[in-house]
Amino acid sequence: MEDSDTRAILPEDTLTSVDDDIPINETFCNNEEWPLSTQYLWDRISEDVGYNGTKGGGCANTSGAPDPLQKEVETLTAHWNLYINLGGFAVGLFVVTLLGSWSDQGGRRPVLILPSLGLALQAGVYLVVMYLKLPVAWFLLGRLLSGLSGDFNTILAGCFAYVADTSDRGSRTFRVAVLEACLGLAGMLASIIGGQWRRAQGYINPFWLVLATNLAAALYAYLFVPESVTPDPSAKLFTTRHHRAVYRLYSALGDPTEISSYTKWRRYKLWLYIFCFFLVVTVHFGSRELYVLYELSSPLCWGPGLIGWGSAAQNLAYLSSLLGLRTMQRCLEDSWVSLVGLASNMTGLVVISLANTTELMFTGYGLCFLYMAATPVLRAKLSKLVGPEEQGALFASVACVEGLCSLVASSLFNSLYPATLHIMKGFPFLFGALLLLIPTGIIGIVECRDQRTDRREDAATS
C-alpha cells in the first residue's frame, strides 16, 4: 500500500467539507465535544501552517507524494488533543474519586450539578477562544476548569450510582443499559444533525448548544431530580477519607478482621471485572477513534454523507444492544448475555478490518449490533459486589478507569494504525477483536466457577 493511501487526500470539492462534517458524536456531554474541538484545532493549525487541504490530488490518486504540511497538521492536532485530554484527566482523576465517594454521604444531586456547570464553563472558554481567535493552548484552560469541577466522568459516576440506589439487583443490569442507551441515542441524533449544522453555520452555534445543554442539565438536576440517598450535613468534602474509601474497595471487602474465602473471591471478582471493563472500553474507544480515518482513506473514500450514516449506525447499536439485552435476559444469565455481546463485537471488528467496500463496512457495523451489551453487565456486576453505601466510590473508580481507557486507546490505536499500514490497513480492528478474547475468557471462567459453587451449596443444603 502506498503511503498516500494513509492520508486520505480528497479532491478539492470534497476535502474542504470533510472536516466540517465529521459527526458531533454525543455533543451534549464532555467527551462528546471532542469531534468539534478536534475539527477546530485542525482548521486553526492548518491556517497557522498554511495548509489548505488541496495540495495532493484525489483519494484515488495513490501515486502522489505525501504532503508534508498535512502530516504536520495531523501531528500538531494529535499532540494538542493529547495535551488537552491528558490535562483534564490528570485533574479529574482526583476530583472524580473525591466527589464520587463523597456523594455516598453528601448526596448524588451535587455531583450531577457541579460537573454540568464545569462543562458549561469549558464550552464558554472554547467560545471565547473562537470569537477572539486566541491561541489553541487556551483550550487546555477550559479543559482544566472542567476537570476541577469533576468533568463528565463525575456525571457518569453520579448517574450510575443513582441508578444503583434506585434499582434492585434483578433490574439493575437493564436500567444501567437504559442509561448507556441514552448516551448512544444522543450520539446518534448529534451524528445526523451535527455535520450539516457545522457546515452551514460554523463552530460557534454548535458550541452555544453545548453550553446551553449543560446549563439545562444542571438546572434539571437541581429542580427535578430527587435525592436518592439521605445527605449527611456533617460529611466533609475535602478529606482523604474519600480517596481511602475507593482504595478500600479493591483492598478488602467487608470486615478486614473476618476475611473469608467468599470475601476474598468477591475481591478477586472486583479486580477481574474491572480489568474486563478496561479492555472492553479501551477497544470501544480505540476503534471509534479510527473509524472516520479508515472511512476517509482509500479504498472506501467516503464523503461526509456516508461518514454521518456510519456514525449513526455505530450509535444505533446502543439501542439494538438494549433490546437484545432485554430479550436475552429472559433465557440467559447476565454473564452469557455479555459473552454474546462480546462475540458480536469481535465478529464485527474482524469484518471491518477486511472491509474494502461500502457494503462490507456497513456489514461490519451491522454485526456489531450487540456490542454494547457487555459494558452494562459489567457495571451491574461491579455494583452488586459492593454495599449500598459504597456505590458512589465504586462508580467514581469506574469513571476513572473509563478516562484511563480513553487515553490508552488514543495512544495505542493511533500509534498502531500508521505502524501497521504496510502490513494490513485494518489491523487495529483485528487487534481489538483479539483483545476482546481476554475478557471473554475471564467472564466465562468466573461464571462457570460461580455456577459450580452454587450447585455445591444447593447440594449441601438439600
Side-chain angles (χ1 to χ4, degrees), residues 36 44 73 86 89 92 127 136 217 243 259 317 327 358 408 416 455:
L36 265 182
R44 281 293 304 276
V73 171
L86 185 59
F89 173 76
L127 283 168
V136 295
H243 293 102
I259 301 294
T327 302
T358 296
V408 172
L416 194 62
R455 285 194 296 266

Side-chain angles (χ1 to χ4, degrees), residues 317 320-321 324-325 328 340-342 344-345 367-374:
S320 58
S321 296
L325 184 146
M328 289 186 290
V340 174
L342 289 172
S344 170
N345 198 355
L367 291 172
C368 285
F369 76 109
L370 292 175
Y371 88 105
M372 286 305 300

Side-chain angles (χ1 to χ4, degrees), residues 114-290:
L114 181 61
S116 297
L117 295 176
L119 289 170
L121 182 60
Q122 173 182 309
V125 172
Y126 284 10
L127 283 168
V128 171
V129 173
M130 295 174 189
Y131 274 117
L132 301 181
K133 293 287 186 178
L134 298 177
V136 295
W138 284 93
F139 270 26
L140 179 59
L141 174 62
R143 193 75 172 87
L144 291 176
L145 291 174
S146 176
L148 287 172
S149 67
D151 212 3
F152 181 60
N153 286 330
T154 299
I155 298 180
L156 283 182
C159 287
F160 285 116
Y162 192 96
V163 168
D165 295 336
T166 57
S167 63
D168 55 39
R169 294 174 65 88
S171 64
R172 190 167 302 169
T173 301
F174 179 70
R175 295 190 67 179
V176 169
V178 169
L179 184 54
E180 291 202 356
C182 290
L183 298 175
L185 179 62
M188 183 173 63
L189 294 175
S191 298
I192 295 173
I193 67 175
Q196 297 301 324
W197 191 13
R198 159 66 185 89
R199 183 172 62 178
Q201 298 185 353
Y203 295 101
I204 301 296
N205 287 342
F207 265 99
W208 274 114
L209 176 63
V210 173
L211 174 62
T213 304
N214 282 297
L215 290 176
L219 184 63
Y220 176 83
Y222 179 75
L223 295 177
F224 301 111
V225 176
E227 185 56 75
S228 61
V229 300
T230 303
D232 181 2
S234 64
K236 295 181 179 180
L237 176 59
F238 298 105
T239 172
T240 58
R241 171 187 174 187
H242 303 307
H243 293 102
R244 291 199 305 268
V246 175
Y247 171 77
R248 283 196 300 271
L249 284 177
Y250 297 94
S251 60
L253 294 175
D255 187 349
T257 63
E258 299 177 359
I259 301 294
S260 64
S261 59
Y262 174 73
T263 301
K264 290 180 180 178
W265 175 235
R266 288 177 62 208
R267 183 173 57 197
Y268 295 151
K269 285 201 294 184
L270 195 66
W271 277 104
L272 289 172
Y273 284 143
I274 203 71
F275 178 62
C276 291
F277 182 83
F278 171 78
L279 291 177
V280 172
V281 176
T282 296
V283 172
H284 287 177
F285 286 168
S287 56
R288 187 180 67 182
E289 286 204 4
L290 293 182

Side-chain angles (χ1 to χ4, degrees), residues 21-91:
D21 284 327
I22 294 176
I24 311 173
N25 293 321
E26 303 163 332
T27 297
F28 312 109
C29 312
N30 171 45
N31 287 343
E32 291 41 285
E33 296 176 5
W34 72 263
L36 265 182
S37 58
T38 299
Q39 292 172 69
Y40 182 80
L41 286 172
W42 175 281
D43 285 350
R44 281 293 304 276
I45 293 172
S46 296
E47 181 181 342
D48 291 343
V49 304
Y51 174 67
N52 60 19
T54 63
K55 297 185 177 183
C59 180
N61 180 12
T62 62
S63 59
D67 191 329
L69 285 179
Q70 183 179 7
K71 182 64 176 177
E72 183 180 358
V73 171
E74 290 174 342
T75 302
L76 289 174
T77 303
H79 284 172
W80 274 112
N81 259 333
L82 178 61
Y83 302 151
I84 292 168
N85 291 330
L86 185 59
F89 173 76
V91 175

Side-chain angles (χ1 to χ4, degrees), residues 291 295 302 310 313-314 352 360-369:
Y291 282 140
E295 293 160 356
W302 282 10
Q314 296 170 44
I352 289 173
L360 197 56
M361 191 68 183
F362 275 105
T363 299
Y365 284 146
L367 291 172
C368 285
F369 76 109

Side-chain angles (χ1 to χ4, degrees), residues 380-396:
K381 283 186 171 295
L382 287 166
S383 176
K384 295 172 185 178
L385 288 172
V386 303
E389 73 285 353
E390 299 172 309
Q391 296 296 328
L394 170 72
F395 283 110

